[in-house]
Amino acid sequence: MEFSIKALSPEAAKAGCVVVGIHSGKELTPAARRVDQAARGALRKALGDLSGKTGSTLLLRGLPGVAAERVLLVGLGARSEFAEAQFRDAVRAAANALKELGAKDAALFLVDAKIGSRALGWNVRHAVLGMRDAFYRFDQLKTQKKAPEPALDQVFLPLSSSSKLQDALAEASATADGAALARTLGNLPANICTPAYLAAEAAKVARQFKLGIDVLERRDMEKLGMGALLSVTRASHQPPKLIVLRYSGGAKTKKPLVLVGKGITFDTGGISLKPAAEMDEMKFDMSGAASVLGTVKALAAMRAPVNVVGVMPACENMPGGAASKPGDVVTTLSGQTVEILNTDAEGRLILCDALAYAARFNPEVVVDIATLTGACVIALGHVASGLFANDQKLADELREAADDAWDRVWQMPLWEDYQEQLRSNFADMANIGGRPAGCITAACFLARFTRKLRWAHLDIAGTAWKSGREKGSTGRPVPLLVRFALRHAGRK
Ligand code: BES
Ligand code: MN
Ligand code: ZN
């Protein structure tokens, strides 16, 4: 799907469908009013009992005096309550209606809406991301496709073009591509999306954009002394990979932003085996790594002026004769020892070695992204990702980027008081801290490996995928990470 910014008038636009907004109380937006005037009141007449409720739609065909064959009215809710969420809902509703239509092109007149103090670039980004998100499909494993490919391939954003808006458009298209990649990797089952598959996907991205790539194999991990990562992969027949992808779009002297993503391609829990119900969802346990790959791809595609290193430790967590056992003590790359009290707390084990490894890149900032704890899902549900940081300025930057990207986070404390829950009688620390504050003690564990770094951790266990009927990967938090990298480099 192609997007272009083009000054158009709603009555004269020669598009398969013109999309205009209407607030509740039958209050037409300026574009809707122009259509109505050109059609000599035919639009108003056709409204009937349309409520204008956010996300409601009404399709009108063959309005007199209007060049477009179809006009799609989209409810925006009460004008006084119109804000970011309503805009995004309206875009999504428009996208879903357009999917059914069979129009080849459409002009989205919703895009000029005034949203608080947001600049128009925000509208452009969210229009593109919302449309692309709604048109995403994952049917490559079905032999009987449910529906034909939607026909829509051109979307006009009727605004007068500027370099700022063109940048917003390029950013959004690249972000949508990156998020779609992350989403597809999340949706692929663990028998296809193995650590080797992730490494091959990263190599594809590296080839496409001429990025640096290194893949550490088991023997490299052994030589380095990554005892924690190795303890997780022990019982798996899939060789582990530690994938490192480098994009250098910034000044040579600029220290990189290092993104570290959890890449457990399947989490059975190991010897601390998970219950059978919904265990299939643990194929998404590599969503952190997938979001790192999607983010690096997006930044490279838009030639962002940033230096970024993506570090993706990837392996399976399996039970078996060679598996780690509760009580085992391992030595991490940092030299600290860990008593594995629960083999299902494996994410922190692969991350602690990857974070220690990340220090080699002399990072300006390190952010890790992980589907780390069920406790985070209990705390924040599927709306916000958990944010933890050892640097408040970094936390603030991430939160602002998350609001901007509407890929939101909520900060949790990382106080020393929680550290004592990780006490072990037999090693420097245990890998679990009991039930209370489970997502915080997981973050506290990671904090012990990042003391010398400016570091933040995103727990995306609740946001990287949806359960239930709409089960599937979301592509989050690629939009947040891309926005953060750009804002951090000075682009607001
Ligand atoms: N991958 C899971 C976290 C998870 C659980 C994500 C549910 C999404 C939904 C992680 O490896 C895990 O198993 N965590 C344990 C930690 C516990 C053993 C301390 C958990 O959250 O139950
Ligand atoms: Mn686990
Ligand atoms: Zn896991």
Side-chain angles (χ1 to χ4, degrees), residues 90-142:
V91 167
R92 236 159 266 262
N96 287 327
L98 287 169
K99 255 196 256 177
E100 313 295 316
L101 278 191
K104 285 188 99 55
D105 52 5
L108 203 63
F109 283 89
L110 305 173
V111 76
D112 67 357
K114 182 90 200 87
I115 304 163
S117 60
R118 301 287 188 194
L120 269 181
W122 193 95
N123 301 28
V124 168
R125 279 193 275 118
H126 286 276
V128 172
L129 285 167
M131 292 285 295
R132 289 282 308 273
D133 191 61
F135 274 74
Y136 173 86
R137 311 218 299 183
F138 182 80
D139 52 12
Q140 62 196 74
L141 302 178
K142 290 187 192 271

Side-chain angles (χ1 to χ4, degrees), residues 69-87:
E69 190 187 325
R70 315 171 185 81
V71 172
L72 180 69
L73 281 164
V74 180
L76 305 175
R79 196 152 76 105
S80 58
E81 283 163 26
F82 187 73
E84 285 94 341
Q86 287 73 20
F87 178 79

Side-chain angles (χ1 to χ4, degrees), residues 262 264 267-269 274 282 285 317 342-347 372:
K262 172 177 173 182
I264 295 288
D267 182 11
T268 64
K274 286 183 181 296
M282 286 301 134
D285 212 17
N317 185 21
N342 189 318
T343 63
D344 198 10
E346 85 297 340
L372 202 62

